[in-house]
Amino acid sequence: GPDAPSARMRRRFHVSDSVVDGRNVTVVAPRDKTAKRTILYLHGGGFVMSITSLHWLLIQRLSHRLDAVGVVPDYPLAPEHSCVEVNDWLVRYYAQLVRSVDVDTLSVMGDSAGGHLSLALLLQARDRGLPLPSSAVLFSPAVTGDYEHEHRKSKDKSDVMIALAGMEPIARLFARDLDVNDPRISL
């Protein structure tokens, strides 16, 4: 299951949880100052792993340094849920979120698979006419499901975090019945 915010983080920040459309959403807010921004953060984990303590540390630092409220949904994971289910849940949640925050102060952020989901969410929001955030930050986003191209294979030995051999089966789990070149998988 997902790691929870640490006791130290709970002492330094207001941390609250709610359930939205069947999924937990954690909100992390500074205790000592008024937040000026909101960050919707989608964690990485290859579409199959829950949020980790390292993600919470990053969210804590972003919240502190940017005077921001961090909004962290526990989005559905593969293989129990498909790309379509995950993206549908995220866009429904985003539609609720933008009704309650000023989009001029909203940033959507994500790392790895969370970077992919952030970009997919923004494309869906645009296509559905939802208000877009003021910014997006994608940390090493996994924006393709096709790992067979030669230029990707040539970079495999220099990537210290992710081995392409493991990414292809994960992308297929996430894609489920979709082709890995479908625009919802390969953005």
Side-chain angles (χ1 to χ4, degrees), residues 14 88 175:
H14 291 287
D88 286 349

Side-chain angles (χ1 to χ4, degrees), residues 22-39:
R23 306 298 305 180
N24 190 62
V25 177
T26 302
V27 175
V28 178
R31 282 192 186 273
D32 57 348
K33 52 189 160 186
T34 303
K36 297 175 186 168
R37 302 196 57 75
T38 301
I39 297 169

Side-chain angles (χ1 to χ4, degrees), residues 36-47:
K36 297 175 186 168
R37 302 196 57 75
T38 301
I39 297 169
L40 173 60
Y41 194 87
L42 304 178
H43 70 83
F47 307 106

Side-chain angles (χ1 to χ4, degrees), residues 88-182:
D88 286 349
W89 186 89
L90 284 170
V91 79
R92 282 193 313 271
Y93 177 70
Y94 180 82
Q96 288 180 359
L97 180 66
V98 297
R99 287 194 297 268
S100 64
V101 301
D102 179 1
V103 292
D104 291 335
T105 65
L106 176 63
S107 296
V108 175
M109 297 184 185
D111 67 280
S112 192
H116 174 283
L117 294 172
S118 296
L119 182 56
L121 171 62
L122 294 171
L123 293 171
Q124 288 182 81
R126 178 201 64 196
D127 293 348
R128 294 180 187 200
L130 294 171
L132 295 176
S134 65
S135 63
V137 179
L138 311 177
F139 303 103
S140 299
V143 293
T144 184
D146 183 1
Y147 293 92
E148 291 300 311
H149 291 291
E150 288 305 315
H151 76 277
R152 289 189 188 96
K153 288 181 178 181
S154 70
K155 305 262 186 233
D156 191 33
K157 291 178 182 157
S158 64
D159 191 328
V160 297
M161 293 192 62
I162 299 173
L164 291 183
M167 287 304 297
E168 186 175 354
I170 289 172
R172 293 197 185 285
L173 278 175
F174 182 60
R176 201 172 285 174
D177 296 330
L178 298 175
D179 184 280
V180 293
N181 290 306
D182 184 286

